[in-house]
Structures are given as C-alpha cells and as structure tokens.
Amino acid sequence: MNLTQLQSLIAVAEAGSFTAAADKLGVTQSGMSQALAALEESLGVKLLIRQPRGVELTAFGERALDHARKALSHLEAIEREAMALIGEETGAIRLAGFPSVFATFLPPLLRRFRTLHPGIDLVPLETDDLEVEAWLAAGSIDLGVVLNPSPARNAVPLGRDAWVPILPAAHPLSRRTSVSLAELAAAPFVLATGGCHTNARSLADAEGLTLQNVQIEVRDWSSAIALVREGAGVSLVPESTLPEQRRGFRVSKLASPLHREFGLVASPVRPLSRAGTLFVELARRSAAPTSA
C-alpha cells in the first residue's frame, strides 16, 4: 500500500469516474486503474464497482476511504510541521473575486504572494460580486474582493477604477469632451456586467434613470467594446478594461465622474489563519493609491 494508491482511491471516490479522477491528479487513466487494482490485490478485497455511468465504492471501499483520508491528512500534517520547523510558511487560503478584478488588479498580487510563500496553497475562486458577499458571510472563503466596501468593514484597498463612456467613432456624442449619464441612458446601449451586479444599469437606477434602449446584454467587457466598435450602441465600462488598441470607438468622460473601489475583506465568521494574515499584510503593503 502506498501514497499513490490512497490518493487514487480518494480521487475516484470524489470524482465518480476514473477519467475525472485521473485529470484531477494529473496521471493517466490506465495508471490510476493499475494503482487501484494493485491496492485491491494487496488487500484481497474489492473496493470499487464499475458502473455504466461511473464508479461506486463497495461497503468496504467506503470504510477504506475514511481511513485513506485520515492517513493522507496525517501525512500532510507531518509535511506542514516539518516545513514550519525549517521556517517555511504553510496553509491554505480560499480567495474569491469577480472576473474583472481577476483580470486586472489581482494577478500581480497573486504572483508576488506565491513567490514569497510557495508552501501556502492559494485557491482563487471566480464568481459574481453578490456571491462573494454570500461566501464571506457564510465563512465558505477566507478572503473576498468586494466592491465599494464601507469603512466599517476595515477593507484593504486594492484599487480604484473610473467608469468611462465608450461610443462608436461616428456617434454624435463622440465629439464631446464629456457626456452625462442621462444622455447615455437615452441612447441605444450595449450593457455589459463584467460578472457584477454593479454595472451601468444599477448606476443609472441609483440616479433615478433607466436604460431606455438596451440593444444587447453581455457579460464580458471585451464583448461590449467589440459591439460598440461595430456601432451597436454606446456603453459604460470600467477604465481598467479598455484595450490599448482603441480604433473604431471613442472614450469619453462622465460629466459627473463615477468610480468603483475594490477592497479585500476577511470573512466575519471564519478566523483568519496565519496564511490569510500573510496575504492581507502583502495586500496592504501593495495597496494602490486611491486618489481621484
């Protein structure tokens, strides 16, 4: 019995198939099958039953799975204690954020942290802004990036982003140095959400306005920009999402500027681990200035 066999048993039980389990561990399906066949042979007991739609554990397989998980946990504890003894930090962090922040502000911070603390398992989870808040409240994650956090939340600022109008090059408003949110709301509009519930529609609602003529709604900022280039309508996007190549559309300014701010927040119901504290400290040291 060896570590590979125990890992294979756990992976197959969790994935429900040899193919998915092999992908998870980064091994071949035949290699995993051979490892589990050898484990069954050494024990003299059947652990798995192959079904048309996957794999099921036998009654003994279920008991063996429990022991395998405990054994793997003990082995990981030995590794953690050994690494701590030689001064290398270990642990795990579950960090959630919405798509645009993973595409812009977070990558340099994640790379820096992994370089400084290779022994810490950093698990990034991409979702929408409302689910980030729900996961924080439930304690399902250690840290989350939230939009426009209140001062009471003691968030670490990660950056600030201006909302900017984009218009087809031939649009009448493109000749203006600035446009109002009301003018944009009245024009044919390409609505992008970026995986967030804070977007042009919610910003208009907050000002008592309605987007009167939404031509199309998309998730990705890049899709909205491409549609504006094709003349499908105007849009309102975060400045950080603008491409370097801006041929075919114009970037303007809002007459009354609007911004969105990003903050790193810890779960209020999940004690922050040593690993999480290290990430927060790095984020605080790397915090971008929040000047207008």
Side-chain angles (χ1 to χ4, degrees):
M1 188 183 306
N2 57 46
L3 180 59
T4 299
Q5 292 169 341
L6 297 181
Q7 290 174 326
S8 297
L9 177 62
I10 295 169
V12 168
E14 292 178 347
S17 75
F18 280 94
T19 302
D23 287 342
K24 182 178 179 180
L25 291 185
V27 299
T28 64
Q29 183 175 338
S30 61
M32 176 165 286
S33 296
Q34 291 171 12
L36 288 171
L39 178 60
E40 288 179 327
E41 184 177 351
S42 67
L43 293 172
V45 180
K46 199 73 174 172
L47 299 171
L48 304 165
I49 300 174
R50 290 168 173 78
Q51 303 284 11
R53 295 186 178 181
V55 180
E56 292 183 2
L57 295 178
T58 64
F60 180 76
E62 293 284 358
R63 298 199 299 273
L65 174 64
D66 183 54
H67 291 303
R69 283 174 169 156
K70 290 177 181 177
L72 195 60
S73 176
H74 289 311
L75 289 172
E76 290 172 348
I78 292 172
E79 184 179 35
R80 285 195 301 271
E81 290 184 23
M83 294 179 77
L85 190 63
I86 61 175
E88 186 170 339
E89 298 285 356
T90 61
I93 305 169
R94 291 169 61 83
L95 168 68
F98 37 92
S100 59
V101 79
F102 273 117
T104 54
F105 291 92
L106 276 180
L109 184 60
L110 298 182
R111 286 195 296 270
R112 178 64 176 155
F113 186 81
R114 285 172 170 142
T115 299
L116 290 173
H117 306 289
I120 295 177
D121 185 17
L122 180 57
V123 182
L125 302 166
E126 185 179 287
T127 184
D128 63 57
D129 53 338
L130 292 187
E131 193 158 33
V132 172
E133 295 283 11
W135 287 353
L136 284 167
S140 304
I141 55 176
D142 302 286
L143 298 165
V145 178
V146 301
L147 276 174
N148 306 320
S150 67
R153 300 186 74 176
N154 194 32
V156 177
L158 295 180
R160 192 183 194 203
D161 206 5
W163 290 95
V164 294
I166 58 172
L167 311 106
H171 196 281
L173 291 176
S174 68
R175 304 185 187 96
R176 303 256 301 273
T177 56
S178 67
V179 298
S180 69
L181 189 57
E183 289 173 311
L184 292 174
F189 204 92
V190 176
L191 177 62
T193 65
C196 294
H197 289 74
T198 300
N199 52 58
R201 177 175 281 143
S202 67
L203 294 172
D205 289 345
E207 297 294 324
L209 302 169
T210 301
L211 299 183
Q212 299 172 25
N213 189 7
V214 175
Q215 299 292 299
I216 187 170
E217 181 173 337
V218 295
R219 178 181 175 89
D220 294 336
W221 302 114
S222 58
S223 298
I225 293 168
L227 287 163
V228 171
R229 272 198 174 107
E230 296 300 319
V234 305
S235 192
L236 188 67
V237 303
E239 189 172 22
S240 65
T241 65
L242 293 173
E244 291 185 12
Q245 175 54 257
R246 301 180 185 182
R247 182 175 299 173
F249 72 96
R250 298 286 185 269
V251 180
S252 186
K253 294 181 179 179
L254 282 176
S256 297
L258 294 172
H259 297 82
R260 60 178 192 164
E261 295 184 354
F262 309 102
L264 182 68
V265 174
S267 169
V269 297
R270 184 184 180 115
L272 194 59
S273 65
R274 168 64 179 165
T277 300
L278 288 171
F279 189 87
V280 169
E281 290 174 351
L282 177 62
R284 187 170 283 116
R285 293 196 302 271
S286 307
T290 57
S291 58

